[in-house]
Amino acid sequence: MQQYHAVKKQQPAALLLFRLGDFYELFYDDAVIASKLLQITLTSRNKEKGQQVPMCGVPYHAAENYIARLVRAGHRVAICEQMEEPGAGKKIVRREVIRVLTPGTATAATLVQEKENNFLAAIARGALAGPGGRARAQRAGASSAGQGSLDLGIAAASEPRAAIGLAYVDLSTGEFRATEFSGDKAEFRLRDEVGILRPREILLPKPRDLFPAAAPAEANGFGTVETQLDEWVFETNQASRLLEEQFRVAVLDGFGLLGHPLATAAAGAIVHYLRATSSIGAGKESTNGAGPSLRPSGTGLEHLDRIAYYEQQEAMALDAVTVRNLELLEPSAGDDASATLLSALDETATGMGARLLRRWIVRPEISLPEIEARLDAVADLRSRMVAREELFATLGQILDLERLTSRVTLGIATPRDLLALKSSLERIPRLRKLLAHGEAPISPANGFSPAPAAVASPAPRLESLAHEMDELADVHGLIARGIADDPPAIANDPGVIRRGFHAELDELRDITKQGRQIIAAMEDRERKRTGIASLKIRYNQVFGYYIEVTRPNLSQVPADYERKQTLVNAERFTSTELKEHERRILTAEERVIEIERRLYAEIRESIAREAPKLRRTAAAVGQLDVLVNFARLAGARRYTRPEFTETSLGVAKAEGIRDEGVREKEAPGRGVLMIASGRHPVIERLLEQQGERFVPNDLYLDEETQCLLIITGPNMGGKSTYLRQVALISLMAQMGSFVPATQARLPLVDRVFTRIGASDNLARGRSTFLVEMSEVAGILNTATRASLVLLDEVGRGTATFDGLSIAWAVVEALHAGARPRTLFATHYHELTELEQLLPGVRNVHVSVQEAGSEIVFLRRVEPGSADKSYGIEVARLAGLPPKVITRAREILRRHEQSEEKLTEELSPGAVPATPQQTSFAALDASVLEALREANLDALTPLEALNLLAELQKQLT
Ligand code: ADP
Ligand code: MG
């Protein structure tokens, strides 16, 4: 136990799996946690100072599975191995931690999800210095590594600005990126980015003081593990040095990190951490090894050979709240798991495609040329039905090239991984051929026999993807020649290398094979010679080859046998001849294993050298997969190609700047958002599955006459659905997908915001009115003219008049400010008055039909406001007693009267209501009463003053 405590001290934050014989044991708190999580029995061990020590264990051969479950549950796991064979003596076996696994550093297939990335992120906070501001920057905790002359444009002699660096890596794919945020929205934008990445683990500097001022909860709500590292790890100079070493370059400029000290610092912290967790056991072989995926050779980081700097503004921005509200990746509480945009759109054939689609969904494009290039490709694939289906089938035969490549460079690829790589590469020429050949679109006119004249050349994007794919004939050939057809699962077992690859190996194999035949022949001969029919020649690990004679036959043993071992029923012997064969066979076998291992390592290494090409190929295959997916969806679901009414985000992108005048008046229709017969891609499918039909709806928005829609109508009328379908259509279009509508003319959107009134998503348990309001504040602060804003029942989380007032003021503020295209669904009827007051505000409503006592939801969006809210009708349908309904109608009437008054007063130009007797009376009856009662004649001046003071006090 002493040894255990010593090891545990080095790994206090990890669950320590301590190897004891055939088990990994956990003790103390670790045991309690693990037994609960893994559902294994908690036992206890020899008392320590009179205390029972809780313990539990998992068999080492099945450990991988258990470890995976611990890591997936967000724990760090340290694996402590026996470093030598348990000897005959009683001395304690040497044990060491050979690896620490954490949620963010996992690479084994059992630990990562096929269709998701497994990100490890790091966040560095500090300041960006203006010229000459290095000293200050250093004081702020991040020096800028000789990059003091940051080009800050206008802010030439400015103070250092607070800034945040973010870096993230997926070890299983090798993707490594970094970015930086500065300015007063830095925290907001960081939170958005982290919300979208959803890293499994985040590295943060240890808080400087004991009571950090309400540390921002970066990791909130995504099951992310936070790991705190010493502050020096996040220091830019040290980070640059580490990164240069890791990428084997002299300067980091080539990665775009120049001038981004905090991005550099965050990336450096990641490399530091990866080295610290993975290199612990580097170069040490444990005697009875853990599975290969737990113990990569080397540091396992060789494949991290590059990083890319990026800017968040390069994509449409979606904050975490919007991602959740639109149910892009995950359904909201209580919903069907298939109720997400991702699952509605993901019919990709490969893990690479699935991961890319996921990335495109949360990071739609804002560059029109890129969007159009994708749309051209989708249009092309959509019309080439035969090729498209064949592409799809071929993609389905390609395994996860990206992760296979990483396993090769990590040094953990098994022989079967290499075969998978080979068979995947074999499909590449087919893909290229299918892409290269133009094919006439199949139109109803020419059926399935296209006229040769109509053959068109493929879309440029498809051509460039074909160009980027490389079948890597060398790699393919090497695997084909080098690896056996049916190799063992583990690289260290014999039989990995194919016959004919290496002459000496084949010779040695022959020797071992012949050797076995020779032994068999010798057994036969010795039986005859001795007359012992039961004589056997066998082999075991400890004693090698031996001749076994059972006890009754011992008298017949010839004199040239040497005794080796005595058993209960038999004796074991050897002979000079057997010893000679044994020597030959065993040396040959050893050599076979040695040569096989060496050859295998060489093969793996020479494939690893092709990693850049493999990765490029994997990326191209992934993108092709997504584009084929879009084309198939477009065909199967009647999606149409969106058109854009703007060519770039241009000036509108500059945050919060009103830009009339700057923007030249262009062709009419510029900036228009027009959707004909739009559908909600997810709900449409869910309804179809139930045999119901989705009712399509139109939408028109522009920048002047109609930029803010107020949508009223009864509960369950389809308001929220209408709002969301607009956002989803915009998003899909900017991903490069066709959209569910008969026609869609769209502006380029820089951001989508969605906010839902608190009571609508109470199920999340965190939706207080406060959260709702802070989210709305976020919109007012960050929305630009190019944004799309969806407000769904905002203001609902508080009392009616509060809520209405806030909603009203929010609409006014949006209108007076950036004036983004906005859809506001509300049950506050009063808001429909705004149509008259503010230009550009329009009312629409979801229609219902009253048929006798029934109301039927038509789900059609029509101009004008709903004539009433139908709440009482719905309540009646639900069976509220007639008495209650009648009374409700009465109360409603009264309320409606007082509301009319309210809107009159809020209207600009309306005369502010003068304080009248009535309102005075309402204010404070008791004051009036006191005044009336006061006998002025009898009061002294002092008493009069006192009374006055008293009355005033009551009023305030
Ligand atoms: P509201 O926000 O007005 O209360 P929702 O948008 O939540 O209404 O819609 C309620 C339900 O009506 C949805 O769950 C959906 O099943 C159905 N629905 C909404 N819009 C449509 C439509 N256009 N066609 C068919 N069904 C719809
Ligand atoms: Mg709703």
Side-chain angles (χ1 to χ4, degrees):
M1 277 323 261
Q2 227 168 351
Q3 192 185 25
Y4 173 85
H5 287 299
V7 176
K8 178 73 194 174
K9 215 177 196 169
Q10 297 160 15
Q11 299 292 341
L15 298 177
L16 181 60
L17 266 64
F18 195 71
R19 180 72 180 269
L20 284 176
D22 283 344
F23 280 82
Y24 288 112
E25 303 285 3
L26 295 108
F27 300 103
Y28 299 98
D29 290 343
D30 291 2
V32 177
I33 294 169
S35 69
K36 225 183 250 161
L37 251 169
L38 303 175
Q39 313 234 304
I40 50 179
T41 328
L42 187 66
T43 56
S44 58
R45 187 183 160 91
N46 48 342
K47 294 180 183 169
E48 195 171 72
K49 293 177 195 141
Q51 291 286 321
Q52 295 275 356
V53 178
M55 105 173 189
C56 66
V58 298
Y60 89 93
H61 56 83
E64 213 173 309
N65 204 348
Y66 288 109
I67 292 168
R69 278 157 65 191
L70 292 175
V71 173
R72 275 201 298 258
H75 290 284
R76 315 158 116 255
V77 175
I79 297 158
C80 178
E81 275 297 335
Q82 287 168 196
M83 303 310 285
E84 53 197 11
E85 286 286 352
K90 277 267 162 181
K91 98 176 176 23
I92 289 181
V93 181
R94 194 162 55 86
R95 289 189 177 81
E96 282 177 31
V97 171
I98 58 149
R99 185 141 169 73
V100 179
L101 292 135
T102 73
T105 59
T107 47
T110 42
L111 292 179
V112 296
Q113 300 278 334
E114 183 202 344
K115 299 197 156 193
E116 283 173 35
N117 278 109
N118 198 75
F119 287 127
L120 166 70
I123 293 170
R125 286 192 163 73
L128 290 180
R134 271 185 72 193
R136 280 172 296 172
Q138 260 158 357
R139 197 183 53 221
S143 79
S144 48
Q147 299 162 358
S149 54
L150 297 181
D151 183 13
L152 296 184
I154 35 161
S158 69
E159 285 289 299
R161 304 173 299 155
I164 308 170
L166 170 72
Y168 62 87
V169 68
D170 181 342
L171 265 191
S172 67
T173 62
E175 180 182 354
F176 193 4
R177 313 210 323 145
T179 187
E180 215 165 69
F181 311 102
S182 62
D184 48 356
K185 307 216 170 95
E187 289 291 344
F188 267 121
R189 290 166 52 201
L190 170 71
R191 228 175 307 152
D192 289 351
E193 198 69 3
V194 172
I196 280 166
L197 288 170
R198 300 168 173 239
R200 298 277 285 128
E201 185 172 2
I202 292 192
L203 309 178
L204 299 166
K206 280 201 179 110
R208 212 177 302 215
D209 38 41
L210 224 44
F211 306 102
E218 277 93 5
N220 228 340
F222 310 120
T224 305
V225 181
E226 282 187 17
T227 301
Q228 297 186 341
L229 304 178
D230 287 330
E231 218 179 314
W232 62 264
V233 171
F234 293 83
E235 208 270 324
T236 304
N237 282 326
Q238 124 100 9
S240 312
R241 229 177 308 114
L242 206 54
L243 292 171
E244 282 157 13
E245 193 184 307
Q246 177 68 32
F247 304 146
R248 293 183 210 97
V249 294
V251 283
L252 295 171
D253 307 8
F255 303 111
L257 283 176
L258 185 74
H260 298 295
L262 290 163
T264 308
I270 285 185
V271 171
H272 171 89
Y273 180 69
L274 289 176
R275 289 187 173 195
T277 50
S278 68
S279 69
I280 293 168
K284 292 175 193 162
E285 281 286 320
S286 69
T287 48
N288 26 21
S293 53
L294 299 183
R295 186 171 39 79
S297 67
T299 58
L301 299 177
E302 290 81 358
H303 70 311
L304 282 193
D305 55 5
R306 83 226 115 96
I307 185 167
Y309 184 82
Y310 73 102
E311 295 277 355
Q312 194 180 32
Q313 294 92 322
E314 287 162 7
M316 185 202 283
L318 298 169
D319 49 285
V321 182
T322 298
V323 171
R324 201 172 61 215
N325 284 345
L326 291 176
E327 299 182 282
L328 297 183
L329 305 178
E330 279 161 19
S332 54
D335 266 359
D336 194 334
S338 64
T340 66
L341 185 65
L342 178 64
S343 65
L345 297 188
D346 186 2
E347 290 182 7
T348 54
T350 70
M352 294 161 283
R355 288 194 297 273
L356 183 66
L357 174 63
R358 209 184 157 87
R359 200 147 65 222
W360 281 4
I361 284 180
V362 290
R363 261 185 229 288
E365 268 298 322
I366 49 171
S367 141
L368 190 61
E370 172 64 23
I371 298 171
E372 294 288 359
R374 292 181 193 173
L375 288 172
D376 285 344
V378 175
D380 186 7
L381 289 166
R382 184 185 136 104
S383 63
R384 290 197 281 153
M385 268 192 247
V386 178
R388 181 224 303 162
E389 288 310 309
E390 263 187 73
L391 279 168
F392 179 68
T394 311
L395 284 165
Q397 295 162 341
I398 296 182
L399 291 147
D400 202 327
L401 277 175
E402 196 179 15
R403 283 198 171 144
L404 285 171
T405 304
S406 287
R407 291 173 67 78
V408 169
T409 53
L410 275 164
I412 57 173
T414 64
R416 289 175 191 177
D417 286 338
L418 297 194
L419 289 187
L421 187 63
K422 168 174 146 282
S423 72
S424 298
L425 288 175
E426 275 161 15
R427 312 287 169 216
I428 302 292
R430 176 92 193 120
L431 286 185
R432 297 183 54 166
K433 194 157 159 261
L434 286 165
L435 285 175
H437 279 278
E439 178 191 320
I442 295 169
S443 66
N446 59 12
F448 284 85
S449 53
V455 172
S457 60
R461 173 55 54 91
L462 297 180
E463 272 179 334
S464 70
L465 287 178
H467 185 70
E468 268 166 45
M469 287 178 200
D470 190 333
E471 55 242 55
L472 287 124
D474 288 357
V475 170
H476 179 273
L478 182 61
I479 300 173
R481 274 178 291 121
I483 306 293
D485 281 338
D486 189 15
I490 296 168
N492 283 343
D493 288 353
V496 170
I497 303 296
R498 175 185 290 273
R499 209 175 168 81
F501 186 67
H502 191 265
E504 191 191 352
L505 177 65
D506 290 348
E507 229 168 82
L508 289 164
R509 278 175 173 160
D510 288 343
I511 292 174
T512 65
K513 203 159 148 205
Q514 284 161 12
R516 278 190 220 104
Q517 284 162 5
I518 290 169
I519 300 267
M522 180 179 165
E523 187 181 68
D524 227 32
R525 210 167 0 94
E526 292 298 306
R527 280 185 190 160
K528 291 197 182 107
R529 179 164 81 98
T530 59
I532 310 172
S534 64
L535 177 145
K536 281 185 246 164
I537 301 184
R538 289 286 181 270
Y539 172 83
N540 79 21
Q541 289 265 337
V542 182
F543 292 100
Y545 284 93
Y546 54 82
I547 306 168
E548 188 172 288
V549 179
T550 51
R551 205 155 278 284
N553 297 313
L554 280 181
S555 56
Q556 281 157 277
V557 168
D560 56 337
Y561 280 15
E562 268 174 57
R563 191 180 312 271
K564 236 179 158 175
Q565 192 192 9
T566 305
L567 305 178
V568 184
N569 296 319
E571 300 253 325
R572 288 173 175 177
F573 303 89
T574 183
S575 71
T576 327
E577 189 195 357
L578 185 60
K579 276 196 256 179
E580 177 54 24
H581 289 317
E582 177 175 16
R583 196 188 55 75
R584 280 181 48 120
I585 294 170
L586 292 186
T587 6
E589 273 176 4
E590 265 168 36
R591 283 284 292 151
V592 165
I593 289 181
E594 201 181 298
I595 292 175
E596 281 209 87
R597 284 191 189 174
R598 179 170 56 77
L599 292 176
Y600 187 70
E602 281 171 14
I603 291 175
R604 211 159 53 185
E605 274 158 31
S606 63
I607 300 172
R609 278 194 290 278
E610 300 294 340
K613 268 192 209 160
L614 281 164
R615 274 197 217 106
R616 215 168 33 241
T617 301
V621 170
Q623 182 165 156
L624 176 65
D625 190 10
V626 178
L627 295 173
V628 168
N629 177 51
F630 285 166
R632 298 182 76 239
L633 297 183
R637 301 187 191 163
R638 298 163 292 121
Y639 290 175
T640 50
R641 178 172 182 156
E643 300 158 55
F644 287 88
T645 54
E646 283 172 325
T647 49
S648 73
L649 285 171
V651 265
K653 186 82 178 60
E655 287 179 7
I657 296 176
R658 292 293 301 272
D659 52 9
E660 296 110 314
V662 180
R663 231 176 217 214
E664 333 129 50
K665 292 274 172 237
E666 282 192 20
R670 188 179 173 184
V672 160
L673 191 163
M674 194 278 283
I675 296 172
S677 297
R679 285 117 58 199
H680 188 299
V682 183
I683 294 184
E684 176 179 40
R685 275 173 50 76
L686 295 178
L687 287 179
E688 262 167 24
Q689 282 161 18
Q690 299 159 14
E692 288 172 45
R693 281 182 57 84
F694 188 88
V695 180
N697 273 305
D698 302 341
L699 173 70
Y700 177 87
L701 286 175
D702 62 23
E703 300 190 312
E704 308 297 332
T705 60
Q706 184 158 333
C707 61
L708 194 151
L709 288 189
I710 306 250
I711 304 154
T712 45
N715 225 343
M716 285 299 284
K719 301 185 293 298
S720 303
T721 308
Y722 184 62
L723 250 59
R724 283 171 181 70
Q725 88 191 26
V726 177
L728 296 179
I729 286 173
S730 244
L731 221 120
M732 286 171 71
Q734 287 184 232
M735 281 158 58
S737 168
F738 282 22
V739 297
T742 53
Q743 195 193 357
R745 294 172 43 74
L746 307 168
L748 281 173
V749 169
D750 68 346
R751 273 193 89 124
V752 175
F753 293 94
T754 62
R755 294 303 179 266
I756 297 187
S759 63
D760 250 19
N761 59 353
L762 256 186
R764 297 203 170 264
R766 34 170 286 158
S767 297
T768 62
F769 180 62
L770 184 72
V771 171
E772 179 189 330
M773 284 301 113
S774 72
E775 290 172 3
V776 172
I779 297 184
L780 293 178
N781 288 331
T782 37
T784 76
R785 191 152 209 191
S787 305
L788 179 63
V789 176
L790 309 178
L791 300 170
D792 195 349
E793 310 276 14
V794 161
R796 194 198 254 198
T798 181
T800 309
F801 279 97
D802 280 10
L804 168 59
S805 316
I806 291 169
W808 188 292
V810 166
V811 172
E812 282 182 349
L814 282 171
H815 190 269
R819 204 180 291 186
R821 294 173 192 84
T822 305
L823 279 80
F824 196 144
T826 183
H827 66 288
Y828 293 130
H829 246 263
E830 297 78 356
L831 290 186
T832 57
E833 304 279 329
L834 282 162
E835 184 180 58
Q836 258 99 65
L837 306 176
L838 302 174
V841 175
R842 284 275 174 281
N843 290 327
V844 295
H845 68 283
V846 287
S847 56
V848 291
Q849 202 169 37
E850 280 177 286
S853 62
E854 296 279 305
I855 57 171
V856 180
F857 297 112
L858 298 179
R859 316 267 190 232
R860 267 209 310 272
V861 176
E862 290 172 359
S865 62
D867 43 4
K868 54 181 177 176
S869 72
Y870 296 96
I872 294 176
E873 276 69 19
V874 176
R876 189 171 48 80
L877 285 181
L880 272 194
K883 252 192 186 155
V884 178
I885 298 287
T886 318
R887 176 71 183 137
R889 287 223 162 90
E890 249 172 65
I891 298 174
L892 176 68
R893 245 188 320 278
R894 255 192 250 165
H895 267 281
E896 276 171 352
Q897 282 157 11
S898 62
E899 277 171 25
E900 265 156 35
K901 189 147 43 202
L902 176 84
T903 42
E904 269 162 29
E905 286 166 15
L906 285 173
S907 316
V911 192
T914 40
Q916 287 162 5
Q917 195 70 34
T918 44
S919 62
F920 197 34
L923 273 181
D924 208 323
S926 69
V927 173
L928 284 178
E929 189 65 14
L931 268 176
R932 227 174 263 130
E933 297 289 299
N935 182 353
L936 293 182
D937 296 336
L939 287 180
T940 67
L942 188 63
E943 279 168 339
L945 265 182
N946 278 340
L947 175 68
L948 200 55
E950 177 62 27
L951 290 176
Q952 195 179 41
K953 209 160 83 199
Q954 282 187 35
L955 278 175
T956 48

